[in-house]
Amino acid sequence: MAESPTFEELFRLARRSAVHLEMRDGYMQSAPDYIAWREGARDTSRSLDREESAWLSLMREITGRGVEVRRARIVSEPVTDYIRFEHHVTAGNVQAGEQVRWLPRRRASDLALPGNDFWLFDDSLVVFLHFTGDGELSPDGDEERTTDPAQARLCSTAFEAVWGRAVPHEEYRIF
């Protein structure tokens, strides 16, 4: 039986699109970049360094070959410190080719959304991400993959509904 592609390989296999819906107010708060930012290091994050960040290199690679990468974040306002951190480092994502938008949670109340964050590749493969209550990756399995057309449609519809209401990163002001 063939092994499933790694998460990074999924991006390299994408032909048209990779979209990501984030719905939590905090992730991976044990991450060194977040801890350093919280302690005042605002411009030293590897998340901002085009040469150091493997993620930004990957995004430049895949968007450079024409794959559209969009990320939408649903956030509570006023935002958490973690969301402030994400907003701060998102400039690097945008410079690497990602399109990012923010939707205040109060504007999402009438949207049907999946129960978990996800990546959707080429409108056909969904990777649901699983986190613990405090935002760390779940020790019971941090992802679940499906090509079920109904689940892919649900995620695509949910993402597009959020995207249509969300504010582009360059215009979104946190408070």
Side-chain angles (χ1 to χ4, degrees), residues 6-41:
T6 66
F7 195 63
E8 184 177 314
E9 289 169 341
L10 293 177
F11 286 94
R12 291 198 168 99
L13 292 169
R15 294 183 315 272
R16 295 178 315 281
S17 64
V19 301
H20 185 34
L21 182 59
E22 297 178 11
M23 299 180 283
R24 298 181 56 87
D25 286 319
Y27 297 89
M28 308 298 292
Q29 295 184 42
S30 63
D33 280 357
Y34 172 65
I35 293 168
W37 180 89
R38 194 179 63 216
E39 293 173 354

Side-chain angles (χ1 to χ4, degrees), residues 69-145:
V69 178
R70 295 184 293 157
R71 179 188 304 257
R73 293 177 170 140
I74 299 175
V75 296
S76 299
E77 294 178 324
V79 299
T80 63
D81 281 346
Y82 189 86
I83 296 300
R84 288 181 190 286
F85 163 73
E86 275 195 333
H87 190 269
H88 179 77
V89 299
T90 295
N93 297 68
V94 172
Q95 289 172 353
E98 281 189 59
Q99 299 172 56
V100 180
R101 292 188 181 180
W102 304 81
L103 181 65
R105 190 171 310 283
R106 69 180 175 275
R107 295 190 56 221
S109 296
D110 63 338
L111 299 179
L113 302 170
N116 293 293
D117 291 9
F118 63 85
W119 277 97
L120 174 61
F121 295 92
D122 292 330
D123 293 317
S124 60
L125 171 65
V126 182
V127 179
F128 290 108
L129 304 171
H130 300 290
F131 297 92
T132 62
D134 61 0
E136 299 297 321
L137 289 171
S138 175
D140 298 326
D142 59 4
E143 71 174 52
E144 170 187 353
R145 298 179 184 191

